[in-house]
Amino acid sequence: MADDPFVLGGTAFSSRLIMGTGGAPSLEVLERALVASGTELTTVAMRRVDPGVRGSVLSVLDRLGIRVLPNTAGCFTAGEAVLTARLAREALGTSLVKLEVIADERTLLPDPVELLDAAETLVDDGFTVLPYTNDDPVLARRLEDVGCAAVMPLGSPIGSGLGIRNPHNFQLIVERARVPVILDAGAGTASDVALAMELGCAGVMLASAVTRARDPERMAHAMRAGVEAGRLARLAGRIPRRYLAEASSPAEGLAVLDPERPAF
Amino acid sequence: MSSRTSDVLVIGGGIIGLVTAWRAAQRGLATAVVDPAPGGGAARVAAGMLAAVTELHYGEQTLLGLNLASARRYPDFAAELTGLTGQDLGYRRCGTLAVALDADDRAHLRELHALQQQSGLESEWLSGRECRRLEPMLAPGVRGGLRVDGDHQIDPRRLAAALVTACERTGVVFHRDWAERLEVVRGRAAGVVTRAGAALGAGQVVLAGGSLSGRLAGVPDDVLPPVRPVKGQVLRLTVPARYAPFLSRTVRAVVRGGNVYLVPRENGELVVGATSEELGWDTTVTAGGVYELLRDAHELVPGITELPLTETRAGLRPGSPDNAPLLGPTRLDGLLLATGHYRNGVLLTPVTGDVMAQLLTGGELPEEARPFTPRRFGTVLVEQTA
């Protein structure tokens, strides 16, 4: 959708789908899925990949011309996250960072206090910060206030595939935000991402829903179509919900199909 | 080239290189292996699960065929190797139990069971209580499991040592040095030059360098195998005699998405593995790696905390883009590959030796190995920094 670019941290993308690489069964399957998704931006866990060594997922992204979005997955404190982000910037030469500060291993929910601290530090340090956050409208606003370039609320816990559990919170976040709102975590299937876009998200970030699907390439295609469908529906504007039916075919001026019976 | 020539020169004396050399020498080819420390490599770290059935993944049905073909060869292969060398390989036909600890992991295991059944594999679904009757040391919270009696184990260190002996007994020559550079003469691989400067000529060269296969100098770029190192940290515990048998078969689980397995040897060694990390050539054992393995293993078998922790180690799996090995001729005449075995090197050792020997003597890759030709990768997919 060339006339509807997705601007993130000053860069315009034509795809609104940000992919992750975790959980892919093989590099080859990952590559086919990335191509099918049409993504232009893909996140990589800096703690799990050594950017100094070519030969892994980074060379796949490089070959496909996909921009790398380093993330701080696996960090539990603001201190670790800031350190990881700085190492990533040094290694990859990008100031983009997807900021994750996890509170607890069972739920992988963000730690809001550490997250806000880390976001503030990294913004001051010149980073373009994209924080993975709870679906809390107040926290989303605070993250925006400290200078984050987007907010990335979770639909449901990472890898759960439970979709958007609180669509109302998403509406509240989208309504107030002056930065892009990106669904991050929880997408399970194409209708989940379509809903996110219909609710006004500017983009969707997902990994497991594709990489752990039986056929990752096909699911990536489905997600791409879901994002586009949801975005178009949002821009087109849905019809108001009505209590009773309203016929879609006009009742006036119908052709007379049966000459024996006059039309009204 | 110097006078030190052979029919076949194998670069790399890990289990894949050794089995190739042994089988080639058995068929009458004058065979040499170049490796600074034959019998080393990833097999020093690997647990040695022969897990064709429990390691099944969506989209890897072709690899399953080769894995099963190799698993079928194992009893005769092990008997032949032991017969020749007199060495015990720790080959144990004990089976495997894959269990789930919570509802999510149980659903995942159910899916694996369905896939196994679709693929015609033998595995039996057990309730949590049935699992614990088989293995009483399992945590009481086990929610169910898969009993796979066909997934056995071998001790890869003993396998490697026996293969070195087998090679020696069969007349394989060992050059204990690094292969520094491939020599190409008139468009054909002609041998290698070693780090010490020795020129080793050969009619056919087999590159079996494990994770290092992608960085041999002198190999043309479009022939260099797309193999990358995938780090795995593995722990070794010891089961004291008073606790024996502790576990009677391999026990494995997916704990919150991460794989953990416990492989009990007859000699009391208990192998706990493995992490899977894309960190290049790093082989550091980290606090986090050890912690995660022990945490998950403890959740599975609480009693392990009583056991001595005797060894921690990290190795590098040779990963290929589709997780399957690269077997056969390359675009460079005279250069063959036997590498990229990733998680299945120990399992695939017997079939690799057989198909490589057939190729080296007959010039044709046997039918069962044809899907694994290195030519399936159009161009070089992975570049390696030296």
Side-chain angles (χ1 to χ4, degrees), chain B residues 20 22 28 37 39 76 136 215 227 231 244 256 262 276 286 292 296 343 364 374:
Chain B
T20 301
W22 175 41
D76 291 345
R215 54 188 252 182
V227 173
K231 176 181 171 184
R256 290 181 304 271
L262 292 89
S276 188
T286 63
E292 283 174 22
D296 292 350
R343 291 184 301 250
E364 284 277 315

Side-chain angles (χ1 to χ4, degrees), chain B residues 129-196:
Chain B
R129 293 162 78 91
E130 288 167 333
C131 290
R132 299 192 67 234
R133 265 199 289 281
L134 285 181
E135 296 296 340
M137 298 306 277
L138 278 172
V142 167
R143 299 286 298 271
L146 283 174
R147 177 178 177 164
V148 178
D149 286 341
D151 278 0
H152 304 309
Q153 60 150 307
I154 194 165
D155 185 336
R157 293 177 180 176
R158 296 190 199 190
L159 171 64
L163 284 169
V164 171
T165 306
C167 283
E168 285 167 348
R169 299 250 165 103
T170 322
V172 173
V173 175
F174 283 102
H175 302 289
R176 288 183 160 76
D177 196 359
W178 287 97
E180 189 82 12
R181 190 177 76 249
L182 182 76
E183 285 288 289
V184 180
V185 178
R186 286 186 295 279
R188 186 181 168 85
V192 304
V193 175
T194 68
R195 187 165 290 178

